[in-house]
Amino acid sequence: MINPIKISLRILFALLLFTSCSSVNTVVSISGNQQFILGELEEDIFKVSLKNLSKESVDILIVEKFTDNILNRIKLKSGNNIEVTVLSDQKAILKNNSSNLVRIESRLNKGVEGMYYEPIKSDQKLLRKDSLINDIELYKLSLESLHPGLYRYNNKKDIDSLFLQFRNNIPSEIYEGDFFLELSRLTSKLKCGHTYLNPWNMQSDLRERLFLGKKYLPLGIRILDGKFFAVENVSENTGIKSGAEILEINGIKADELYSNMMSLSKRDGNNINSINHYLSLDNFQSSQWEAFDMFLSLLDTYRNGEYEIIYQNYLSESSNKCILKALDKEEREAKIAQKYGKDYLDNKRWDLEILNEDLAIMKIGTFAIWEKKNFDYKIWLSDCFSRLEKSKVENLIIDIRGNGGGLTDPANHLISYLISEDLICNKQKKVLIKTVKYNEEILPYITPKIDFLVNGLPDEYYKKYSRELYELLYDGNCIDTKPQLKAFKGKVFIFGNGTNVSATYTLLDKAKEFNFGKYIGDVSGGNLQGINGGEYAFFEMPYSKMEIDIPLKYFYPGVMNTDSGVIPDVEIKYTQKDLANNDDPYLNYVLDNLKD
């Protein structure tokens, strides 16, 4: 939709900035976080030569006028020049993503109509409601066809009402980022921790439009009881100490921001304990995507490459205000590595540290072992427990804080080193699915094309369990676990919290059921009423290209338990004082109670 005010501005800049002579030379100055649009009203092909006279790089985009599709993206580095040809149905955009003024020497082969400056919102496309309706209906059909837990916390009437209200409230036009947020709010209400908009599975160009650029806070954030606390600081402001409470970000009160983020967050059932951990910002690898980063940059808190912060250090009687320059993902990772060391970034590592004959700490940061190339978890565990046996260590801490799960096999193999007798599978537990064959209408929008769902699961592999669900019968749903010869004979403490969902939730649940380790920490993620997962359908909306992970299996616990995560044997919560003093209250508890 063309804004008439912008039209007049474009014509004005066409008259003032460039003349109609056959060759036009000028220098375009673009302020920080501004962009210069060239040729939006031009009806003929033109060529433009550009030279970057500044220290900052500038992005040159060739864009379709009527769809805003990006056809070509060129990074024009300092001192470099380039010539581009712009067709009659295209426009050129010169984007200054830095906070500094840049100057671009420009030579046009002709006078060009339609030039103006505007603040950079993003490269986001403007989506039309009439086209989004089909996306929304297909998403609902995909859930109804595939999701085994869709009606666990909502009935059919609830789901119908949620989608009807969502569809009715979508404006006639909406930016991609705003649609991402609204779709996240809808999906959060399904109360399934494995159903969410997953940036890893999005098309890369959409992910870049939504999340790349200088949008990243130069702080680590830990959330305790709905409050934001700084834990790492790679900003230029050294006054923000570890444990400082963040009271406002760009004029938005922290409690308001937290409430908004909560409404966007995935969860299992009504167990909201996992949300504080899900939203905390403690993973700084540039290849990863953190919920805090994504939501913060899309919730209109990002402003001109800067964040205005009001904070209050621990035990301070007054608050302070400062401006922090936003970073891109790679910059922040580099600064974290420089200040805290490269190992600090590897929060998915497996590590064993034998402190003395009394205590060893085994850190297991992930069960998503497909991310760990050339790593054999069976050999690693065998070597570790051989070392523990030789060292005659009496107490072992298994620290799975921050481990969001992955495959069940490495978790079960770890358990085999912690038990002294056979762990007998509970035959009441079942694996339930919603469908035994894909709905043909959604098949074009689903990946991967799992063979049994494309062609249909053979009859002998399942039976009808209820009106809505089928029970899987194949071997592997219920397997007894036998102890290893080198199984640990001492006392085991397991550190866990709300980050533990999926396979690590199951590990903590089994620890409580079979008593092979004392669970120390906070209430886990997941839900005792059972979680969804196992295998997934990645549903991509055909128009907006938003992607949602949909789990295909429901791990029914055999009985309908309380709507909660796993309750620890010893409940410990971090405090602001712990953050300020860099203390680990979990470890302190174990050290204080080793002889008990």
Side-chain angles (χ1 to χ4, degrees):
M1 182 177 294
I2 297 177
N3 186 325
I5 297 176
K6 281 188 176 179
I7 290 178
S8 62
L9 287 174
R10 293 166 192 168
I11 295 173
L12 176 62
F13 275 110
L15 293 172
L16 294 179
L17 188 59
F18 293 102
T19 68
S20 59
C21 60
S22 59
S23 180
V24 185
N25 233 356
T26 191
V27 173
V28 179
S29 297
I30 309 174
S31 300
N33 296 286
Q34 296 276 317
Q35 59 188 19
F36 180 72
I37 288 74
L38 175 61
E40 187 157 327
L41 299 181
E42 179 59 43
E43 297 180 353
D44 296 322
I45 186 172
F46 66 91
K47 293 183 179 181
V48 58
S49 298
L50 303 167
K51 182 176 182 179
N52 189 349
L53 305 178
S54 306
K55 294 181 179 180
E56 304 282 356
S57 295
V58 175
D59 287 336
I60 311 300
L61 278 60
I62 305 301
V63 178
E64 283 185 332
K65 289 179 182 177
F66 302 109
T67 66
D68 281 334
N69 286 330
I70 299 174
L71 304 174
N72 195 10
R73 182 195 299 267
I74 306 154
K75 187 171 286 294
L76 185 60
K77 295 183 178 180
S78 175
N80 288 3
N81 56 0
I82 191 170
E83 180 177 279
V84 294
T85 300
V86 184
L87 303 182
S88 59
D89 62 346
Q90 298 170 359
K91 60 186 175 183
I93 301 178
L94 285 57
K95 293 175 63 70
N96 177 12
N97 291 303
S98 77
S99 56
N100 300 318
L101 179 76
V102 299
R103 298 170 70 248
I104 307 295
E105 183 181 277
S106 306
R107 176 184 290 274
L108 288 163
N109 70 323
K110 63 185 291 293
V112 173
E113 294 279 344
M115 309 170 196
Y116 63 100
Y117 296 92
E118 67 177 10
I120 294 175
K121 178 178 176 68
S122 69
D123 298 334
Q124 293 176 26
K125 294 180 181 178
L126 199 58
L127 305 175
R128 301 186 308 274
K129 179 174 183 173
D130 55 356
S131 298
L132 287 173
I133 295 300
N134 184 54
D135 278 5
I136 296 166
E137 292 305 313
L138 283 171
Y139 178 34
K140 184 172 185 284
L141 180 60
S142 297
L143 291 170
E144 292 170 338
S145 303
L146 300 172
H147 200 300
L150 182 61
Y151 302 129
R152 194 172 314 143
Y153 302 103
N154 299 278
N155 59 36
K156 188 178 187 309
K157 185 177 178 181
D158 294 331
I159 296 298
D160 290 344
S161 178
L162 283 173
F163 272 84
L164 179 61
Q165 184 179 20
F166 178 74
R167 187 177 66 180
N168 290 342
N169 289 341
I170 293 294
S172 59
E173 292 181 323
I174 184 171
Y175 277 106
E176 289 174 307
D178 295 328
F179 185 62
F180 178 95
L181 293 175
E182 294 307 317
L183 195 57
S184 294
R185 283 195 182 90
L186 172 68
T187 303
S188 175
K189 292 173 183 176
L190 304 180
K191 300 180 181 180
C192 171
H194 288 78
T195 305
Y196 69 112
L197 280 75
N198 188 342
W200 286 276
N201 293 330
M202 280 183 178
Q203 292 188 10
S204 60
D205 58 342
L206 172 59
R207 187 170 60 230
E208 288 177 9
R209 287 197 300 272
L210 292 180
F211 306 125
L212 289 193
K214 291 184 181 294
K215 303 177 181 179
Y216 292 84
L217 198 65
L219 301 174
I221 299 291
R222 185 78 61 86
I223 301 177
L224 306 178
D225 295 325
K227 296 182 178 180
F228 297 168
F229 298 96
V231 282
E232 292 90 8
N233 180 6
V234 291
S235 75
E236 297 174 355
N237 188 312
T238 58
I240 305 174
K241 305 300 182 184
S242 186
E245 183 177 359
I246 306 300
L247 303 173
E248 284 188 21
I249 300 179
N250 281 353
I252 301 177
K253 301 285 187 184
D255 57 352
E256 178 185 345
L257 189 57
Y258 173 73
S259 177
N260 213 337
M261 287 184 170
M262 271 195 70
S263 72
L264 300 164
S265 298
K266 60 182 182 177
R267 69 193 75 183
D268 282 298
N270 295 299
N271 174 19
I272 64 171
N273 191 60
S274 62
I275 293 180
N276 282 341
H277 297 280
Y278 175 60
L279 290 176
S280 290
L281 175 55
D282 53 13
N283 182 356
F284 303 102
Q285 296 181 71
S286 60
S287 60
Q288 305 296 316
W289 301 90
E290 291 288 279
F292 186 93
D293 286 330
M294 294 188 296
F295 297 155
L296 185 70
S297 65
L298 294 179
L299 283 169
D300 290 331
T301 54
Y302 169 67
R303 186 172 66 196
N304 296 328
E306 296 177 340
Y307 287 105
E308 182 180 88
I309 303 291
I310 297 180
Y311 67 94
Q312 187 168 358
N313 283 320
Y314 178 60
L315 297 182
S316 174
E317 295 182 357
S318 60
S319 61
N320 298 279
K321 181 186 291 187
C322 68
I323 301 294
L324 304 181
K325 287 186 177 180
L327 306 174
D328 64 30
K329 288 169 68 67
E330 289 78 10
E331 284 178 308
R332 188 173 66 186
E333 178 179 340
K335 287 178 179 291
I336 288 285
Q338 183 180 16
K339 184 169 182 177
Y340 298 99
K342 290 185 178 180
D343 289 344
Y344 196 87
L345 294 168
D346 188 10
N347 60 355
K348 293 191 174 184
R349 67 186 182 278
W350 290 39
D351 184 53
L352 176 67
E353 182 181 6
I354 299 177
L355 302 181
N356 49 52
E357 64 181 15
D358 283 335
L359 183 64
I361 301 175
M362 180 179 289
K363 170 68 178 176
I364 298 183
T366 184
F367 286 133
I369 57 171
W370 61 84
E371 297 177 353
K372 299 177 72 64
K373 295 181 180 179
N374 304 317
F375 177 73
D376 189 319
Y377 67 88
K378 291 183 178 180
I379 292 176
W380 189 89
L381 287 170
S382 177
D383 290 344
C384 286
F385 282 96
S386 292
R387 289 174 57 196
L388 292 170
E389 186 177 49
K390 290 178 183 178
S391 302
K392 299 180 180 180
V393 173
E394 297 180 3
N395 299 280
L396 173 62
I397 292 171
I398 297 177
D399 188 352
I400 56 171
R401 291 173 292 181
N403 184 333
L407 300 180
T408 57
D409 287 348
N412 289 334
H413 199 69
L414 170 64
I415 290 172
S416 71
Y417 282 97
L418 307 178
I419 55 179
S420 57
E421 55 187 31
D422 288 3
L423 189 155
I424 306 300
C425 173
N426 183 345
K427 297 295 192 290
Q428 295 298 111
K429 297 183 176 182
K430 304 179 186 303
V431 179
L432 306 176
I433 58 176
K434 184 63 177 287
T435 186
V436 294
K437 188 174 182 179
Y438 277 131
N439 182 312
E440 293 289 336
E441 194 172 345
I442 65 171
L443 186 56
Y445 314 110
I446 295 291
T447 55
K449 299 292 193 286
I450 299 173
D451 183 66
F452 79 81
L453 285 178
V454 173
N455 300 311
L457 189 65
D459 293 346
E460 63 269 22
Y461 281 81
Y462 68 93
K463 69 177 182 180
K464 193 72 175 176
Y465 177 78
S466 67
R467 187 168 64 89
E468 293 285 343
L469 300 172
Y470 301 91
E471 179 184 352
L472 288 180
L473 301 176
Y474 59 79
D475 293 339
N477 291 343
C478 191
I479 300 175
D480 298 341
T481 304
K482 295 183 176 296
Q484 298 282 341
L485 292 176
K486 293 182 286 189
F488 187 69
K489 302 296 191 296
K491 188 180 293 186
V492 176
F493 304 90
I494 304 177
F495 289 176
N497 56 27
T499 59
N500 301 130
V501 297
S502 191
T504 44
Y505 153 81
T506 303
L507 172 62
L508 293 172
D509 190 33
K510 287 183 176 180
K512 289 281 288 190
E513 181 180 358
F514 297 102
N515 197 32
F516 53 73
K518 180 180 281 191
Y519 174 16
I520 310 294
D522 204 356
V523 178
S524 79
N527 200 290
L528 293 172
Q529 293 189 1
I531 59 174
N532 313 301
E535 291 183 86
Y536 299 85
F538 303 141
F539 168 71
E540 183 182 273
M541 293 181 166
Y543 170 61
S544 65
K545 303 303 180 184
M546 297 293 167
E547 187 279 337
I548 304 102
D549 286 10
I550 301 176
L552 301 179
K553 295 179 179 178
Y554 166 37
F555 299 97
Y556 173 58
V559 294
M560 192 48 64
N561 292 318
T562 57
D563 185 356
S564 162
V566 182
I567 308 299
D569 296 302
V570 179
E571 189 167 1
I572 296 177
K573 293 182 178 292
Y574 266 84
T575 66
Q576 183 182 14
K577 180 181 179 181
D578 294 325
L579 300 180
N581 295 330
N582 197 28
D583 276 345
D584 185 344
Y586 293 40
L587 181 58
N588 291 342
Y589 170 83
V590 171
L591 294 175
D592 292 341
N593 293 274
L594 276 183
K595 302 302 180 182
D596 291 352

